Amino acid sequence: MKTAFVATALLSSAAAASAQSSVTLFGVLDAAISHYTARSEFYNDSGRIVPLPANGNAVTRTQTVLSNSANSNSRLGFRGTEDLGGGLAASFWLESPLANDSGAGGLTSFSRRSTISLSGGFGEVRLGRDFTPTFWNDSVFSPFSTIGVGANVISTVGTNLAIARGPGSAVAASDNYLRTSNSIGYFLPPTLGGFYGQLQYALHENVAQSGLPGSPTRKGQFAGGRFGYASGPLDVAVAYGQSTAADATAVNALGLPTGVGANEKIKTFNLGASYNFGVVKLFGELSRVKDQSTTTAPSGLGTLLVVRDVDKYNGGLVGVTVPVGPGLIKAAYSRVKFDNDLGPLATPFMPRRDASVSKFAIGYEHNLSKRTALYATVAWIRAKDAQNNAAIIGAATGTAPYLSTGAAGGSGYAPSRSTGYDFGIRHVF
């Protein structure tokens, strides 16, 4: 009798706990046949005669692959919520990327998202690895999001800039653009009449040492926020983020500052909006990214030479989706213009070091059911003076890289055009 009573009590407790808690397995599998073409053309900005290389005026690279995540990111995840009573809830979210074309990856890491949170009438406090506030506008206000050959070119350049300038991490070289680790986030409650928003701060986690000038370095630190309004057909949001890409103070063997130092911050501001008219949905985004760096070094005259540089990336996107029966037509044009800061010694006679990249994409998504769709996307990219900027050099439609052999003020092959297509299937579970 006693054993039966204990068993019944345990089952009752488990039932009560399960009634207040939920755990969901979810995911996406997305595979496509994709083809990419990247054309590079010879240029000469050196001011001298340079013979044409043996490869001629242009070099084209092509690649055909079975890609994954061309319409939606392939992933596998677990999320759960426990009702704590009194309007409080504890939640977790673990999400892992999948490479379903090869079977690699899987649950070896939860690098897409790994958070635990507490929510209630006050909103939500979220801890862990998560998306940055500024990335959301690049993703939400683009018909193709940041995925596949049609991806918003603003996001492509933003990813490349994070990889080229830092801070990067052991998890992902693009950290502090797309996602950030070690973050503390706050989200407004969903009861504010359509207003929404979030704040996020990511710890740099660098070690501080007493008596060491410039300690600790703040490389890796991120801070940002997003605020928006969504009601009926309208959705509009503004976001700002600041990432510390470099923060260094050099010292000599005695631990004294040498005067050599570097500080670099990537500051992102963007504004996005969409409006659904029913027969058509319009998208738009404006973006400005500033790469601000300050370097110091002894001048040899007993003073310090300070050089400040502010490079700008101005981006824009216009897009549209049109529902057609069970399908959706998508189209978007996006562009990024790089303005190079030539510094205080610049003159009107100095050659410009700017660059730009633009993309047009069109596609169709046909829903076979609520969870399964077939899709096709085609995109064209045009790059101008890409040799002047590493972030634009990498702006191609896929994984076929441009041949890039030159640099600003030199000669060689520079990115010119890129085309690509995706034909695939996506299943959500």
Side-chain angles (χ1 to χ4, degrees), residues 299-329:
S299 66
L301 301 176
T303 60
L304 292 178
L305 177 64
V306 180
V307 178
R308 293 181 174 86
D309 184 81
V310 182
D311 293 332
K312 301 181 183 69
Y313 299 79
N314 296 311
L317 175 144
V318 290
V320 61
T321 59
V322 181
V324 181
L328 191 68
I329 297 173

PDB file of all heavy atoms in Angstrom, residues 299-329:
ATOM      1  N   SER A 299      56.054  60.044 -32.842  1.00  0.00           N
ATOM      2  CA  SER A 299      56.425  60.744 -34.078  1.00  0.00           C
ATOM      3  C   SER A 299      57.931  60.878 -34.249  1.00  0.00           C
ATOM      4  O   SER A 299      58.404  61.250 -35.321  1.00  0.00           O
ATOM      5  CB  SER A 299      55.798  62.138 -34.085  1.00  0.00           C
ATOM      6  OG  SER A 299      56.359  62.932 -33.049  1.00  0.00           O
ATOM      7  N   GLY A 300      58.692  60.609 -33.179  1.00  0.00           N
ATOM      8  CA  GLY A 300      60.135  60.811 -33.245  1.00  0.00           C
ATOM      9  C   GLY A 300      60.553  62.191 -32.794  1.00  0.00           C
ATOM     10  O   GLY A 300      61.736  62.493 -32.673  1.00  0.00           O
ATOM     11  N   LEU A 301      59.593  63.046 -32.525  1.00  0.00           N
ATOM     12  CA  LEU A 301      59.869  64.411 -32.071  1.00  0.00           C
ATOM     13  C   LEU A 301      59.395  64.628 -30.637  1.00  0.00           C
ATOM     14  O   LEU A 301      59.173  65.746 -30.202  1.00  0.00           O
ATOM     15  CB  LEU A 301      59.179  65.413 -33.005  1.00  0.00           C
ATOM     16  CG  LEU A 301      59.589  65.354 -34.474  1.00  0.00           C
ATOM     17  CD1 LEU A 301      58.747  66.324 -35.293  1.00  0.00           C
ATOM     18  CD2 LEU A 301      61.075  65.689 -34.620  1.00  0.00           C
ATOM     19  N   GLY A 302      59.202  63.522 -29.933  1.00  0.00           N
ATOM     20  CA  GLY A 302      58.747  63.606 -28.555  1.00  0.00           C
ATOM     21  C   GLY A 302      57.256  63.773 -28.415  1.00  0.00           C
ATOM     22  O   GLY A 302      56.764  64.028 -27.312  1.00  0.00           O
ATOM     23  N   THR A 303      56.540  63.660 -29.496  1.00  0.00           N
ATOM     24  CA  THR A 303      55.079  63.764 -29.470  1.00  0.00           C
ATOM     25  C   THR A 303      54.479  62.499 -30.074  1.00  0.00           C
ATOM     26  O   THR A 303      55.183  61.673 -30.668  1.00  0.00           O
ATOM     27  CB  THR A 303      54.600  64.982 -30.270  1.00  0.00           C
ATOM     28  OG1 THR A 303      55.032  64.849 -31.642  1.00  0.00           O
ATOM     29  CG2 THR A 303      55.161  66.272 -29.691  1.00  0.00           C
ATOM     30  N   LEU A 304      53.186  62.387 -29.927  1.00  0.00           N
ATOM     31  CA  LEU A 304      52.474  61.250 -30.488  1.00  0.00           C
ATOM     32  C   LEU A 304      51.751  61.652 -31.758  1.00  0.00           C
ATOM     33  O   LEU A 304      51.135  62.719 -31.830  1.00  0.00           O
ATOM     34  CB  LEU A 304      51.460  60.688 -29.485  1.00  0.00           C
ATOM     35  CG  LEU A 304      52.022  60.003 -28.239  1.00  0.00           C
ATOM     36  CD1 LEU A 304      50.872  59.566 -27.333  1.00  0.00           C
ATOM     37  CD2 LEU A 304      52.881  58.803 -28.631  1.00  0.00           C
ATOM     38  N   LEU A 305      51.848  60.801 -32.750  1.00  0.00           N
ATOM     39  CA  LEU A 305      51.126  60.999 -33.998  1.00  0.00           C
ATOM     40  C   LEU A 305      49.804  60.233 -33.906  1.00  0.00           C
ATOM     41  O   LEU A 305      49.787  59.028 -33.690  1.00  0.00           O
ATOM     42  CB  LEU A 305      51.940  60.480 -35.188  1.00  0.00           C
ATOM     43  CG  LEU A 305      51.252  60.557 -36.563  1.00  0.00           C
ATOM     44  CD1 LEU A 305      50.999  62.009 -36.939  1.00  0.00           C
ATOM     45  CD2 LEU A 305      52.100  59.860 -37.619  1.00  0.00           C
ATOM     46  N   VAL A 306      48.698  60.959 -34.010  1.00  0.00           N
ATOM     47  CA  VAL A 306      47.374  60.362 -33.908  1.00  0.00           C
ATOM     48  C   VAL A 306      46.699  60.430 -35.276  1.00  0.00           C
ATOM     49  O   VAL A 306      46.586  61.511 -35.861  1.00  0.00           O
ATOM     50  CB  VAL A 306      46.507  61.088 -32.860  1.00  0.00           C
ATOM     51  CG1 VAL A 306      45.127  60.440 -32.766  1.00  0.00           C
ATOM     52  CG2 VAL A 306      47.199  61.061 -31.501  1.00  0.00           C
ATOM     53  N   VAL A 307      46.266  59.278 -35.774  1.00  0.00           N
ATOM     54  CA  VAL A 307      45.593  59.206 -37.069  1.00  0.00           C
ATOM     55  C   VAL A 307      44.194  58.657 -36.868  1.00  0.00           C
ATOM     56  O   VAL A 307      44.018  57.565 -36.303  1.00  0.00           O
ATOM     57  CB  VAL A 307      46.370  58.312 -38.062  1.00  0.00           C
ATOM     58  CG1 VAL A 307      45.612  58.222 -39.388  1.00  0.00           C
ATOM     59  CG2 VAL A 307      47.770  58.849 -38.276  1.00  0.00           C
ATOM     60  N   ARG A 308      43.215  59.430 -37.287  1.00  0.00           N
ATOM     61  CA  ARG A 308      41.816  59.005 -37.186  1.00  0.00           C
ATOM     62  C   ARG A 308      41.264  58.757 -38.584  1.00  0.00           C
ATOM     63  O   ARG A 308      41.499  59.542 -39.499  1.00  0.00           O
ATOM     64  CB  ARG A 308      40.995  60.054 -36.450  1.00  0.00           C
ATOM     65  CG  ARG A 308      41.372  60.209 -34.984  1.00  0.00           C
ATOM     66  CD  ARG A 308      40.502  61.260 -34.287  1.00  0.00           C
ATOM     67  NE  ARG A 308      40.773  61.298 -32.864  1.00  0.00           N
ATOM     68  CZ  ARG A 308      41.740  62.023 -32.309  1.00  0.00           C
ATOM     69  NH1 ARG A 308      42.541  62.761 -33.081  1.00  0.00           N
ATOM     70  NH2 ARG A 308      41.926  62.002 -31.010  1.00  0.00           N
ATOM     71  N   ASP A 309      40.502  57.695 -38.701  1.00  0.00           N
ATOM     72  CA  ASP A 309      39.951  57.298 -39.999  1.00  0.00           C
ATOM     73  C   ASP A 309      38.502  56.882 -39.799  1.00  0.00           C
ATOM     74  O   ASP A 309      38.197  56.093 -38.888  1.00  0.00           O
ATOM     75  CB  ASP A 309      40.766  56.135 -40.579  1.00  0.00           C
ATOM     76  CG  ASP A 309      40.306  55.757 -41.970  1.00  0.00           C
ATOM     77  OD1 ASP A 309      40.704  56.433 -42.926  1.00  0.00           O
ATOM     78  OD2 ASP A 309      39.547  54.772 -42.100  1.00  0.00           O
ATOM     79  N   VAL A 310      37.614  57.425 -40.623  1.00  0.00           N
ATOM     80  CA  VAL A 310      36.201  57.078 -40.548  1.00  0.00           C
ATOM     81  C   VAL A 310      35.718  56.679 -41.939  1.00  0.00           C
ATOM     82  O   VAL A 310      35.443  57.532 -42.788  1.00  0.00           O
ATOM     83  CB  VAL A 310      35.341  58.237 -40.003  1.00  0.00           C
ATOM     84  CG1 VAL A 310      33.878  57.797 -39.894  1.00  0.00           C
ATOM     85  CG2 VAL A 310      35.853  58.714 -38.658  1.00  0.00           C
ATOM     86  N   ASP A 311      35.638  55.395 -42.181  1.00  0.00           N
ATOM     87  CA  ASP A 311      35.103  54.883 -43.438  1.00  0.00           C
ATOM     88  C   ASP A 311      33.609  54.628 -43.280  1.00  0.00           C
ATOM     89  O   ASP A 311      33.152  54.207 -42.208  1.00  0.00           O
ATOM     90  CB  ASP A 311      35.813  53.586 -43.842  1.00  0.00           C
ATOM     91  CG  ASP A 311      37.274  53.811 -44.193  1.00  0.00           C
ATOM     92  OD1 ASP A 311      37.612  54.927 -44.629  1.00  0.00           O
ATOM     93  OD2 ASP A 311      38.082  52.880 -44.024  1.00  0.00           O
ATOM     94  N   LYS A 312      32.851  54.854 -44.354  1.00  0.00           N
ATOM     95  CA  LYS A 312      31.396  54.717 -44.276  1.00  0.00           C
ATOM     96  C   LYS A 312      30.891  53.735 -45.332  1.00  0.00           C
ATOM     97  O   LYS A 312      31.405  53.694 -46.457  1.00  0.00           O
ATOM     98  CB  LYS A 312      30.714  56.069 -44.481  1.00  0.00           C
ATOM     99  CG  LYS A 312      31.092  57.146 -43.479  1.00  0.00           C
ATOM    100  CD  LYS A 312      30.336  58.424 -43.754  1.00  0.00           C
ATOM    101  CE  LYS A 312      30.745  59.553 -42.804  1.00  0.00           C
ATOM    102  NZ  LYS A 312      32.120  60.012 -43.078  1.00  0.00           N
ATOM    103  N   TYR A 313      29.880  52.975 -44.930  1.00  0.00           N
ATOM    104  CA  TYR A 313      29.172  52.069 -45.826  1.00  0.00           C
ATOM    105  C   TYR A 313      27.698  52.480 -45.814  1.00  0.00           C
ATOM    106  O   TYR A 313      27.003  52.287 -44.817  1.00  0.00           O
ATOM    107  CB  TYR A 313      29.307  50.620 -45.360  1.00  0.00           C
ATOM    108  CG  TYR A 313      30.721  50.099 -45.322  1.00  0.00           C
ATOM    109  CD1 TYR A 313      31.578  50.420 -44.266  1.00  0.00           C
ATOM    110  CD2 TYR A 313      31.209  49.270 -46.337  1.00  0.00           C
ATOM    111  CE1 TYR A 313      32.878  49.935 -44.234  1.00  0.00           C
ATOM    112  CE2 TYR A 313      32.503  48.775 -46.295  1.00  0.00           C
ATOM    113  CZ  TYR A 313      33.326  49.118 -45.244  1.00  0.00           C
ATOM    114  OH  TYR A 313      34.613  48.633 -45.208  1.00  0.00           O
ATOM    115  N   ASN A 314      27.231  53.067 -46.909  1.00  0.00           N
ATOM    116  CA  ASN A 314      25.846  53.503 -47.010  1.00  0.00           C
ATOM    117  C   ASN A 314      25.066  52.496 -47.852  1.00  0.00           C
ATOM    118  O   ASN A 314      25.402  52.251 -49.010  1.00  0.00           O
ATOM    119  CB  ASN A 314      25.766  54.892 -47.646  1.00  0.00           C
ATOM    120  CG  ASN A 314      26.439  55.951 -46.796  1.00  0.00           C
ATOM    121  OD1 ASN A 314      26.197  56.034 -45.601  1.00  0.00           O
ATOM    122  ND2 ASN A 314      27.315  56.746 -47.393  1.00  0.00           N
ATOM    123  N   GLY A 315      24.024  51.920 -47.251  1.00  0.00           N
ATOM    124  CA  GLY A 315      23.274  50.875 -47.932  1.00  0.00           C
ATOM    125  C   GLY A 315      21.803  51.193 -48.041  1.00  0.00           C
ATOM    126  O   GLY A 315      21.245  51.984 -47.274  1.00  0.00           O
ATOM    127  N   GLY A 316      21.174  50.559 -49.026  1.00  0.00           N
ATOM    128  CA  GLY A 316      19.742  50.721 -49.201  1.00  0.00           C
ATOM    129  C   GLY A 316      19.141  49.511 -49.880  1.00  0.00           C
ATOM    130  O   GLY A 316      19.826  48.781 -50.614  1.00  0.00           O
ATOM    131  N   LEU A 317      17.864  49.279 -49.620  1.00  0.00           N
ATOM    132  CA  LEU A 317      17.142  48.158 -50.227  1.00  0.00           C
ATOM    133  C   LEU A 317      15.699  48.554 -50.483  1.00  0.00           C
ATOM    134  O   LEU A 317      15.075  49.225 -49.660  1.00  0.00           O
ATOM    135  CB  LEU A 317      17.186  46.922 -49.327  1.00  0.00           C
ATOM    136  CG  LEU A 317      16.371  45.701 -49.779  1.00  0.00           C
ATOM    137  CD1 LEU A 317      17.096  44.403 -49.427  1.00  0.00           C
ATOM    138  CD2 LEU A 317      14.972  45.683 -49.149  1.00  0.00           C
ATOM    139  N   VAL A 318      15.176  48.127 -51.634  1.00  0.00           N
ATOM    140  CA  VAL A 318      13.743  48.183 -51.916  1.00  0.00           C
ATOM    141  C   VAL A 318      13.343  46.799 -52.413  1.00  0.00           C
ATOM    142  O   VAL A 318      14.073  46.159 -53.183  1.00  0.00           O
ATOM    143  CB  VAL A 318      13.385  49.255 -52.964  1.00  0.00           C
ATOM    144  CG1 VAL A 318      13.584  50.644 -52.400  1.00  0.00           C
ATOM    145  CG2 VAL A 318      14.214  49.089 -54.233  1.00  0.00           C
ATOM    146  N   GLY A 319      12.195  46.324 -51.941  1.00  0.00           N
ATOM    147  CA  GLY A 319      11.770  44.980 -52.313  1.00  0.00           C
ATOM    148  C   GLY A 319      10.269  44.850 -52.338  1.00  0.00           C
ATOM    149  O   GLY A 319       9.533  45.727 -51.864  1.00  0.00           O
ATOM    150  N   VAL A 320       9.804  43.714 -52.867  1.00  0.00           N
ATOM    151  CA  VAL A 320       8.378  43.484 -53.000  1.00  0.00           C
ATOM    152  C   VAL A 320       8.113  41.982 -52.999  1.00  0.00           C
ATOM    153  O   VAL A 320       8.934  41.192 -53.471  1.00  0.00           O
ATOM    154  CB  VAL A 320       7.851  44.117 -54.317  1.00  0.00           C
ATOM    155  CG1 VAL A 320       8.526  43.507 -55.532  1.00  0.00           C
ATOM    156  CG2 VAL A 320       6.350  44.003 -54.430  1.00  0.00           C
ATOM    157  N   THR A 321       6.987  41.598 -52.425  1.00  0.00           N
ATOM    158  CA  THR A 321       6.480  40.234 -52.561  1.00  0.00           C
ATOM    159  C   THR A 321       5.032  40.318 -53.039  1.00  0.00           C
ATOM    160  O   THR A 321       4.282  41.208 -52.628  1.00  0.00           O
ATOM    161  CB  THR A 321       6.541  39.445 -51.238  1.00  0.00           C
ATOM    162  OG1 THR A 321       5.764  40.115 -50.244  1.00  0.00           O
ATOM    163  CG2 THR A 321       7.972  39.295 -50.760  1.00  0.00           C
ATOM    164  N   VAL A 322       4.664  39.372 -53.909  1.00  0.00           N
ATOM    165  CA  VAL A 322       3.320  39.345 -54.483  1.00  0.00           C
ATOM    166  C   VAL A 322       2.765  37.938 -54.339  1.00  0.00           C
ATOM    167  O   VAL A 322       3.306  36.999 -54.940  1.00  0.00           O
ATOM    168  CB  VAL A 322       3.318  39.759 -55.964  1.00  0.00           C
ATOM    169  CG1 VAL A 322       1.898  39.743 -56.527  1.00  0.00           C
ATOM    170  CG2 VAL A 322       3.960  41.130 -56.144  1.00  0.00           C
ATOM    171  N   PRO A 323       1.715  37.725 -53.535  1.00  0.00           N
ATOM    172  CA  PRO A 323       1.123  36.394 -53.432  1.00  0.00           C
ATOM    173  C   PRO A 323       0.386  36.017 -54.708  1.00  0.00           C
ATOM    174  O   PRO A 323      -0.368  36.819 -55.268  1.00  0.00           O
ATOM    175  CB  PRO A 323       0.152  36.534 -52.251  1.00  0.00           C
ATOM    176  CG  PRO A 323      -0.157  37.988 -52.162  1.00  0.00           C
ATOM    177  CD  PRO A 323       1.056  38.715 -52.664  1.00  0.00           C
ATOM    178  N   VAL A 324       0.627  34.787 -55.174  1.00  0.00           N
ATOM    179  CA  VAL A 324      -0.034  34.264 -56.371  1.00  0.00           C
ATOM    180  C   VAL A 324      -0.522  32.856 -56.043  1.00  0.00           C
ATOM    181  O   VAL A 324       0.253  31.897 -56.068  1.00  0.00           O
ATOM    182  CB  VAL A 324       0.920  34.236 -57.581  1.00  0.00           C
ATOM    183  CG1 VAL A 324       0.189  33.701 -58.822  1.00  0.00           C
ATOM    184  CG2 VAL A 324       1.492  35.612 -57.855  1.00  0.00           C
ATOM    185  N   GLY A 325      -1.816  32.727 -55.717  1.00  0.00           N
ATOM    186  CA  GLY A 325      -2.342  31.422 -55.336  1.00  0.00           C
ATOM    187  C   GLY A 325      -1.589  30.892 -54.131  1.00  0.00           C
ATOM    188  O   GLY A 325      -1.436  31.575 -53.107  1.00  0.00           O
ATOM    189  N   PRO A 326      -1.060  29.662 -54.242  1.00  0.00           N
ATOM    190  CA  PRO A 326      -0.306  29.082 -53.121  1.00  0.00           C
ATOM    191  C   PRO A 326       1.160  29.516 -53.103  1.00  0.00           C
ATOM    192  O   PRO A 326       1.948  29.003 -52.315  1.00  0.00           O
ATOM    193  CB  PRO A 326      -0.413  27.579 -53.375  1.00  0.00           C
ATOM    194  CG  PRO A 326      -0.479  27.481 -54.873  1.00  0.00           C
ATOM    195  CD  PRO A 326      -1.243  28.690 -55.334  1.00  0.00           C
ATOM    196  N   GLY A 327       1.521  30.444 -53.984  1.00  0.00           N
ATOM    197  CA  GLY A 327       2.922  30.834 -54.096  1.00  0.00           C
ATOM    198  C   GLY A 327       3.164  32.291 -53.790  1.00  0.00           C
ATOM    199  O   GLY A 327       2.250  33.063 -53.472  1.00  0.00           O
ATOM    200  N   LEU A 328       4.430  32.685 -53.892  1.00  0.00           N
ATOM    201  CA  LEU A 328       4.843  34.043 -53.585  1.00  0.00           C
ATOM    202  C   LEU A 328       5.971  34.452 -54.523  1.00  0.00           C
ATOM    203  O   LEU A 328       7.009  33.786 -54.598  1.00  0.00           O
ATOM    204  CB  LEU A 328       5.326  34.120 -52.130  1.00  0.00           C
ATOM    205  CG  LEU A 328       5.563  35.505 -51.540  1.00  0.00           C
ATOM    206  CD1 LEU A 328       4.242  36.257 -51.385  1.00  0.00           C
ATOM    207  CD2 LEU A 328       6.265  35.390 -50.182  1.00  0.00           C
ATOM    208  N   ILE A 329       5.755  35.538 -55.266  1.00  0.00           N
ATOM    209  CA  ILE A 329       6.803  36.115 -56.103  1.00  0.00           C
ATOM    210  C   ILE A 329       7.589  37.118 -55.260  1.00  0.00           C
ATOM    211  O   ILE A 329       7.004  37.927 -54.535  1.00  0.00           O
ATOM    212  CB  ILE A 329       6.212  36.810 -57.338  1.00  0.00           C
ATOM    213  CG1 ILE A 329       5.481  35.788 -58.226  1.00  0.00           C
ATOM    214  CG2 ILE A 329       7.298  37.521 -58.134  1.00  0.00           C
ATOM    215  CD1 ILE A 329       4.726  36.418 -59.378  1.00  0.00           C
TER     216      ILE A 329
END
